[in-house]
Amino acid sequence: MQYDVTIGIPVYRTAAYVRRALESALRQDCPALEVLVVDDGSYDGSMDIVRHLQSGHPKGTAIRIVSHPANQGVSASRNDIIAAARGEYLYFLDSDDMMADGALSLLLQSARNYNAEVVFGSYQKIGLASERQTFRYPSLQLLGTDQLACFAYRKYGGIQASACNCLVRTSLLRSAGLRFVEADYWEDLVFTADLVTLVSRAVLLPDITYFYYCREGSLSHYQAREQVQKDEILSNVRTVGHLRDALPALSDKAYFPNRCLFMVMTGFYMACNVLKRRHDIVPPVTDSEIKAMVSHPASLSRICTFRQSRLKNLAFCLVGLLPSSLCVSAVWCLGKMKKLI
């Protein structure tokens, strides 16, 4: 590897934000730094800004550009970054977000100190009205096989769903063949859920190293739209379905019951979002399609053998076994209780 770290940035139609993201990357205190930008068919002037910084910024020579002839999506861009990165470690940064000053040196120091395969930093989410919400990890070293996965699945949301803001050893991704599912939404969640099962040495930091900006028109902000296409919903279902496909290989792991619960909870939250916006989805989503979202990946007999999260898994399994209309009614009631609908 020629660099300590590659910061990978997919760029597509973010002219209003990409300078902020790139400048935050170039401010990082890391002498052996590569900033790998994928031009994903952007046509709004975003890449003019990137090239201006490449030629005019004091650290602009760190920028390397890979171009797509047409838009292929964020998953394809990130997969190209995994393939092309020249850094020992890889860090994903979205082109409308920003790294905290000093983030990279902090993450890299922890990686070196603990010979870690991945280091997660904490982050701050900045809403549409500039309100801030902080997501902070405990200071924790998980330096044994499956310790990170057990931590991640101990509760829903135990680890960040975004692929950004973690420093990961590039060779781990390549040797495991871990790539992003070709999708527009929830591809981060699937990637991260699979990543934690591969890692033996991980560090969590309470320090804020990333600023995640919500904005109108972003792929993840479809809740603000007046109308949502059913094909988009079903695409999300297929993306999350990759979690189900990976389950058989994990069936002997201590965290398997919690991984099952993670998957069914993901389907439950998706179903609640669908029910919340059901009248805005065209064509309509059927009861049987909603039932499929919450169907449990394990059999009832297998769940009865679980030593972790048995009751919660049983509850979701039984809901998924109800006739479609009753299943949807049960999901609605649970969603209302949890204030998700």
Side-chain angles (χ1 to χ4, degrees), residues 54-339:
Q54 186 183 43
S55 62
H57 193 281
K59 295 184 179 179
T61 55
I63 299 174
R64 179 163 65 101
I65 299 172
V66 174
S67 296
H68 289 168
N71 178 246
Q72 297 180 25
V74 67
S75 291
S77 297
R78 287 177 177 163
N79 288 338
D80 283 349
I81 288 168
I82 293 172
R86 297 171 182 169
E88 179 186 359
Y89 286 90
L90 177 57
Y91 181 96
F92 287 112
L93 169 64
D94 281 348
S95 60
D96 52 358
D97 293 336
M98 187 175 77
M99 299 177 69
D101 290 348
L104 205 57
S105 59
L106 186 65
L107 294 164
L108 187 58
Q109 182 181 10
S110 293
R112 299 286 193 224
N113 287 348
Y114 295 99
N115 189 27
E117 295 164 316
V118 64
V119 182
F120 290 93
S122 299
Y123 65 99
Q124 198 168 79
K125 183 177 181 180
I126 302 172
L128 297 175
S130 298
E131 70 278 13
R132 293 175 181 253
Q133 188 175 7
T134 298
F135 296 83
R136 198 180 298 275
Y137 289 119
S139 179
L140 193 60
Q141 298 83 46
L142 301 164
L143 307 177
T145 301
D146 294 339
Q147 285 189 18
L148 175 61
C150 289
F151 174 88
Y153 295 132
R154 81 199 191 286
K155 65 175 183 178
Y156 194 82
I159 207 79
Q160 63 188 33
S162 172
C164 297
N165 197 35
C166 68
L167 190 71
V168 59
R169 190 170 286 162
T170 309
S171 60
L172 174 71
L173 301 178
R174 291 176 178 166
S175 63
L178 183 60
R179 296 295 184 270
F180 288 87
V181 177
E182 295 289 344
D184 290 331
Y185 191 51
W186 288 40
E187 77 291 338
D188 274 12
L189 180 142
V190 175
F191 179 87
T192 306
D194 286 340
L195 173 63
V196 300
T197 68
L198 303 172
V199 172
S200 297
R201 301 183 65 83
V203 176
L204 307 181
L205 299 177
D207 308 82
I208 302 298
T209 51
Y210 195 91
F211 297 99
Y212 165 54
Y213 288 85
C214 300
R215 63 181 178 87
E216 296 284 358
S218 69
L219 288 172
S220 61
H221 195 60
Y222 69 77
Q223 290 293 342
R225 286 186 258 152
E226 291 183 1
Q227 191 175 90
V228 179
Q229 294 298 312
K230 179 178 176 177
D231 284 347
E232 183 176 350
I233 301 296
L234 297 183
S235 175
N236 295 342
V237 172
R238 288 191 293 272
T239 300
V240 175
H242 288 270
L243 296 175
R244 184 186 296 267
D245 296 339
L247 272 176
L250 306 174
S251 61
D252 62 340
K253 297 292 187 180
Y255 57 79
F256 180 73
N258 284 338
R259 166 81 178 215
C260 288
L261 184 60
F262 173 86
M263 203 203 103
V264 77
M265 284 289 293
T266 299
F268 170 69
Y269 282 115
M270 182 181 293
C272 287
N273 281 328
V274 169
L275 289 173
K276 184 177 180 180
R277 296 290 307 275
R278 194 170 191 180
H279 296 297
D280 303 322
I281 299 171
V282 291
V285 179
T286 66
D287 285 353
S288 61
E289 287 168 331
I290 296 173
K291 176 180 175 176
M293 295 177 194
V294 298
S295 64
H296 203 284
S299 66
L300 185 59
S301 59
R302 179 66 195 277
I303 293 170
C304 290
T305 68
F306 286 175
R307 296 190 176 187
Q308 298 173 347
S309 305
R310 184 189 302 166
L311 292 178
K312 289 182 179 179
N313 275 293
L314 276 173
F316 276 109
C317 181
L318 293 174
V319 167
L321 292 174
L322 292 171
S324 295
S325 59
L326 291 178
C327 175
V328 170
S329 295
V331 171
W332 174 271
C333 291
L334 287 171
K336 280 287 192 180
M337 288 173 57
K338 285 183 157 292
K339 299 181 178 179

Side-chain angles (χ1 to χ4, degrees), residues 9-78:
I9 310 177
V11 174
Y12 179 67
R13 295 180 61 189
T14 51
Y17 314 100
V18 68
R19 179 183 296 276
R20 178 182 66 194
L22 260 178
E23 288 181 342
S24 77
L26 294 172
R27 281 197 301 271
Q28 299 303 311
D29 184 16
C30 180
L33 173 66
E34 173 187 43
V35 180
L36 181 56
V37 175
V38 174
D39 173 12
D40 192 27
S42 200
Y43 54 84
D44 67 337
S46 297
M47 292 308 300
D48 293 335
I49 296 169
V50 174
R51 293 186 178 92
H52 177 75
L53 287 169
Q54 186 183 43
S55 62
H57 193 281
K59 295 184 179 179
T61 55
I63 299 174
R64 179 163 65 101
I65 299 172
V66 174
S67 296
H68 289 168
N71 178 246
Q72 297 180 25
V74 67
S75 291
S77 297
R78 287 177 177 163

